[in-house]
Amino acid sequence: ESLCALMVREAGKTWSDAIAETREAADFCRYYAKLAREQFGAPITLTGPVGERNTYGLHGRGVFVCISPWNFPLAIFTGQIAAALAAGNAVVAKPAEQTPLIAAAAVQLFHDAGLHPNLLHLLPGEGGSIGQALVAHASCAGVAFTGGTDTAWAINRTLAARPGPIVPFIAETGGLNAMFVDTTALREQVIDDVIASAFGSAGQRCSALRMLFAPHDTADLLIEGIAGAMDALVLGDPADPRTDIGPVIDADAEDALRTHMIRLGEDAKVLHRLAAPAGGHFFAPALAEIPSAAFLQKEVFGPILHVVRYDPNKLEAAAAPLAAAGYGLTLGVHSRIEAFAAEVQRAVPAGNAYVNRSMIGAVVGVQPFGGEGLSGTGPKAGGPHALLRYAVERALSVNIAAQGGDPALLNLNP
C-alpha cells in the first residue's frame, strides 16, 4: 500500500495503475528467479566424443548500469535490477529524475530482503550527468535502458567510443503504435480497447495506441463511439479512486503535448477534446484525424489518439509510411478474419501484436515485452531469454582419458 501511495503521489498514477505496477514488479522478481534457477545452475553437459567431458554454463558479467524511466518507476526499475542480479551481476541503478523516491523505496526493499548493499547502489540524478558518467565508466560491463530513442542513440555512441571490451546494450524504446480495424470488427469491443490503449495511464505507456486505422465504411461510427466513450472518462486527482486519468508527468511533457495540439489544429483536424481540470499538469485527452500515417514520424507521449481513414483493399499502401518510420513495438488488430490479422502483421512488423484485445498491460512470462527496429534491441522483458544478454557464456572441455577414464562410469553404489 505504501508503494502504491508513493506512485500516486510522485508519478501521478491512479490507484488501479499503481496496484497493477506493484504486481508487475513482484512478477519480475519471481519470474527472473525462476529463470536463474533453470539457466544459471550447475553447468550442463553437452554431447561430445568419448574420452572428453564438455560442459556449458552462464555467468555474470560484472557491474551493470540500469537506467529506468518515470512512466513505470517501480516495475521497469525493479525488472532491470532483478534481471541483472539474477544473472550474477552487481548493479548501479539510475532512476528517472522525476521519480527518485519510488526508486529509493524499491532499493531499500532489495536490501531488506537480504541483498548485500555492495551489490546494488542507487545513483539518482540527471541523465546528462549521472547517466553519462556511469555509461562511460571503465567498470561498466553492460547497460540496460528503457526510455526514448534519442537517449538510446546517445548511450550507444558513448559505449562505442569507450575503450575496452564491447559491452551489451539492452534497450527498450518507444514506438508509433497502431491499431488496424476492419469492417468485421465488433464496434463496442473496438471502442473499449481503443479507450484503454490510447488514454489509460494518460497515454504515458510506450505500448500505448497512437494511431487508429479505421476503414472508410465504418470510420464515422467508430469516431462517434470513441468520442462518446471519452466523455465518460474522469480526469482529476489520481488519489481519488473515481479518477480514470491523472496528470502527465511534468511541465515539459505538458508543453510538448500542447505544441503537438497546435500542429494538429493547423495541419490536421481535431475531432474531440475533453476539458482538463484547473491546476497541475493535466492534459485533456484528444481525438484527431490525420491525412496519413506519414503525419507522425516520432512518438507523441500522451493522451492523443490520431485516426487514419483507409481502404482495406489498399492496406499495404496505407501502412507503408508507418512501416517506413522504422519503429516496431506494439500493434493492434481488430477483425474476425484471421487472414486480415496476418496481413496486417506482415505489413507492420512489431515485437508485440495483439488481436481483438487492448494493446497495453503485457504480463510477465505471458506476453514477453519488447520491440524491434527503432523500438529496441531485445531480449524481451519478462520473456524466456531475458537474462541471457546479462550473462557471459563459458564452455569447458576436459580430456578425461588423460586421467584413465571417466569417473562417472564407475558405479560406486552397487
Side-chain angles (χ1 to χ4, degrees):
E1 186 177 336
S2 61
L3 278 175
C4 291
L6 194 54
M7 282 188 278
V8 171
R9 179 72 174 175
E10 187 176 45
K13 288 185 171 284
T14 62
W15 274 102
S16 60
D17 281 346
I19 291 168
E21 183 163 350
T22 304
R23 183 182 297 117
E24 184 178 1
D27 287 346
F28 272 129
C29 292
R30 295 190 180 100
Y31 184 71
Y32 289 151
K34 171 180 176 290
L35 288 186
R37 286 191 293 267
E38 295 171 352
Q39 299 173 349
F40 289 77
I44 62 173
T45 300
L46 304 173
T47 302
V50 174
E52 200 171 80
R53 183 191 300 119
N54 295 283
T55 57
Y56 166 91
L58 298 171
H59 304 265
R61 288 180 172 272
V63 179
F64 246 83
V65 174
C66 293
I67 302 174
S68 54
W70 51 261
N71 63 327
F72 284 92
L74 180 65
I76 292 178
F77 181 80
T78 301
Q80 290 178 341
I81 293 171
L85 292 173
N89 302 284
V91 175
V92 177
K94 209 296 286 183
E97 297 95 309
Q98 296 91 335
T99 53
L101 298 181
I102 297 166
V107 168
Q108 189 61 55
L109 287 175
F110 273 106
H111 291 164
D112 291 346
L115 181 69
H116 196 289
N118 286 348
L119 294 176
L120 174 58
H121 287 277
L122 178 69
L123 269 76
E126 294 187 1
S129 54
I130 300 295
Q132 173 72 14
L134 291 175
V135 170
H137 198 280
S139 296
C140 171
V143 177
F145 167 78
T146 300
T149 304
D150 290 343
T151 305
W153 282 332
I155 293 172
N156 198 39
R157 285 192 293 267
T158 299
L159 290 174
R162 199 187 66 158
I166 299 171
V167 300
F169 179 33
I170 305 164
E172 290 185 32
T173 53
L176 291 177
N177 311 315
M179 178 186 290
F180 288 77
V181 179
D182 75 359
T183 55
T184 72
L186 193 62
R187 178 173 178 260
E188 292 79 5
Q189 185 179 2
V190 172
I191 293 168
D192 282 348
D193 291 340
V194 164
I195 294 294
S197 301
F199 304 123
S201 306
Q204 298 178 124
R205 291 174 179 251
C206 53
S207 58
L209 171 62
R210 308 299 179 197
M211 272 189 277
L212 175 66
F213 283 75
H216 289 300
D217 290 346
T218 57
D220 288 335
L221 279 174
L222 280 176
I223 290 168
E224 179 187 10
I226 292 167
M230 288 172 65
D231 289 337
L233 295 172
V234 176
L235 278 71
D237 183 354
D240 187 336
R242 295 172 298 180
T243 296
D244 296 309
I245 300 176
V248 294
I249 190 65
D250 57 21
D252 289 343
E254 186 181 359
D255 289 345
L257 291 168
R258 292 190 187 284
T259 299
H260 184 68
M261 284 302 302
I262 293 172
R263 184 191 175 206
L264 289 174
E266 294 173 347
D267 302 329
K269 181 180 180 182
V270 178
L271 301 174
H272 195 62
R273 184 90 192 271
L274 302 186
H281 299 302
F282 289 96
F283 185 85
L287 178 67
E289 183 175 336
I290 57 178
S292 79
F295 186 89
L296 288 184
Q297 291 299 311
K298 285 193 173 183
E299 182 178 41
V300 177
F301 209 72
I304 301 175
L305 176 61
H306 308 83
V307 178
V308 179
R309 295 176 190 256
Y310 81 106
D311 182 350
N313 295 318
K314 300 178 180 178
L315 172 63
E316 190 170 338
L322 178 62
Y327 293 88
L329 189 54
T330 60
L331 171 69
V333 182
H334 267 267
S335 173
R336 284 183 269 190
I337 300 174
E338 290 186 10
F340 176 79
E343 185 182 2
V344 172
Q345 290 172 71
R346 286 192 299 270
V348 186
N352 288 74
Y354 301 96
V355 179
N356 294 331
R357 52 150 290 169
S358 75
M359 295 166 52
I360 60 173
V363 176
V364 174
V366 180
Q367 292 125 359
F369 186 78
E372 56 192 70
L374 295 179
S375 295
T377 64
K380 287 178 175 290
H385 300 151
L387 302 186
L388 301 183
R389 191 79 60 88
Y390 291 88
V392 293
E393 304 167 280
R394 292 175 184 162
L396 174 64
S397 185
V398 178
N399 178 11
I400 55 178
Q403 62 190 26
D406 185 355
L409 297 176
L410 298 176
N411 187 353
L412 301 179
N413 296 298

